[in-house]
Amino acid sequence: MNFDGKVVLITGASSGIGEGTAKYLAKLGANLVLTGRNVDNLNKVGAACESVNNKKPLLLVADVTKVEDNKKVIEEIISKYGKLDVLVNNAGIIGNGSIEDTSLEQYDEIMNTNVRAVYHLTMLAVPHLVQSKGNIVNLSSVAGNRSFPGILAYGMSKAAIDQFTKCTALELAPKQVRVNAVNPGVIVTDIHKRGGMSEETYAAFLEKCKQTHALGRPGTPEEVAATIAFLASDAASFITGVTLNVDGGRHAMCPR
């Protein structure tokens, strides 16, 4: 898993799994392009990556839901590096809501961020990935292949990403571009609190993970990052169209 000379774009890299993946790939020698909306956090992540491999990441403040931002990101990458080897579609949001108490506004926000943005950025990146025979890793969720009440729009968005992953994998396979996804279970990041959970509710949520995950705990960003790195590396050269659960066994569990 050597990424020396590889140009890797990670969206949503200013926190959570994106931050963990950036730091992990920095250790493996990648030339990183990191995007996010939080300037201060993005700078901190960039500095941490540079301290690991002495390579200054290209830091781009960008919102994946904005068409012009996505175009600018790809243009900046090609201008600086002349190529793109790996796209990690990580940026995403979550929100609570059932069919009885959700809203069209929540649906639009989640689908625009988690699906439309991935669709658009991938469209823009594919010509360059074809040139490099690169690959894509999408961030899905165990909620994409298992059903949970109370996160309706989010679950739908991740099911869409699973199908997007498989369809594009088949479309791009003749051009030797691999497309895979990781489907995390509960990972300790700030996404749930940003999605509306209070500190008290979040603490109880993590405690319940001891029962809802077979391994008896939630996961860490580094554990997901290691899987992303594997799928993005030459070690996974014969793997495409896979949606890989990184969820402590949650996908295999049924209530008894």
Side-chain angles (χ1 to χ4, degrees):
M1 300 211 310
N2 184 345
F3 285 80
D4 277 336
K6 301 284 188 181
V7 178
V8 181
L9 167 59
I10 305 171
T11 65
S14 57
S15 65
I17 292 172
E19 176 182 354
T21 302
K23 292 176 178 177
Y24 198 96
L25 290 178
K27 295 176 184 176
L28 299 177
N31 294 315
L32 294 170
V33 181
L34 309 179
T35 74
R37 293 178 297 177
N38 188 310
V39 182
D40 291 339
N41 282 2
L42 196 61
N43 285 331
K44 288 176 185 175
V45 175
C49 292
E50 187 177 1
S51 70
V52 169
N53 66 6
N54 293 316
K55 295 180 181 179
K56 187 176 179 61
L58 175 59
L59 305 178
L60 300 173
V61 178
D63 183 338
V64 292
T65 65
K66 295 180 178 178
V67 169
E68 291 307 315
D69 281 13
N70 288 336
K71 290 179 180 178
K72 180 184 174 185
V73 165
I74 298 300
E75 287 169 1
E76 292 265 1
I77 293 169
I78 301 308
S79 174
K80 181 175 176 63
Y81 294 109
K83 67 167 185 169
L84 176 64
D85 296 289
V86 180
L87 168 61
V88 180
N89 281 311
N90 168 75
I93 58 173
I94 195 171
N96 297 316
S98 73
I99 194 62
E100 294 182 295
D101 58 21
T102 190
S103 66
L104 279 179
E105 289 76 18
Q106 184 194 62
Y107 174 88
D108 287 341
E109 182 183 18
I110 289 177
M111 295 299 281
N112 281 341
T113 304
N114 293 3
V115 183
R116 186 177 185 270
V118 171
Y119 196 104
H120 182 233
L121 189 58
T122 303
M123 286 172 59
L124 298 175
V126 158
H128 306 289
L129 294 170
V130 168
Q131 289 293 318
S132 64
K133 290 186 169 55
N135 71 84
I136 301 166
V137 182
N138 297 318
L139 265 291
S140 184
S141 168
V142 66
N145 53 41
R146 295 301 298 266
S147 303
F148 302 96
I151 49 169
L152 180 58
Y154 178 77
M156 290 174 66
S157 76
K158 293 306 184 180
I161 289 299
D162 283 356
Q163 186 70 301
F164 177 74
T165 298
K166 294 171 185 177
C167 288
T168 54
L170 295 180
E171 291 169 354
L172 297 175
K175 298 182 178 179
Q176 303 304 302
V177 175
R178 300 183 298 106
V179 188
N180 295 292
V182 292
N183 297 59
V186 175
I187 307 298
V188 182
T189 69
D190 60 358
I191 189 172
H192 293 93
K193 287 185 280 188
R194 281 191 280 118
M197 275 194 185
S198 67
E199 289 285 352
E200 184 180 358
T201 303
Y202 185 60
F205 178 68
L206 292 183
E207 180 65 22
K208 193 175 181 184
C209 288
K210 293 177 180 178
Q211 283 79 48
T212 58
H213 294 62
L215 291 179
R217 63 174 178 85
T220 67
E222 292 72 26
E223 288 173 312
V224 182
T227 309
I228 292 170
F230 166 66
L231 289 174
S233 76
D234 292 340
S237 58
F238 202 51
I239 299 175
T240 197
V242 163
T243 53
L244 181 56
N245 288 87
V246 187
D247 65 351
R250 187 172 192 182
H251 72 281
M253 296 179 68
C254 293
R256 293 188 66 183

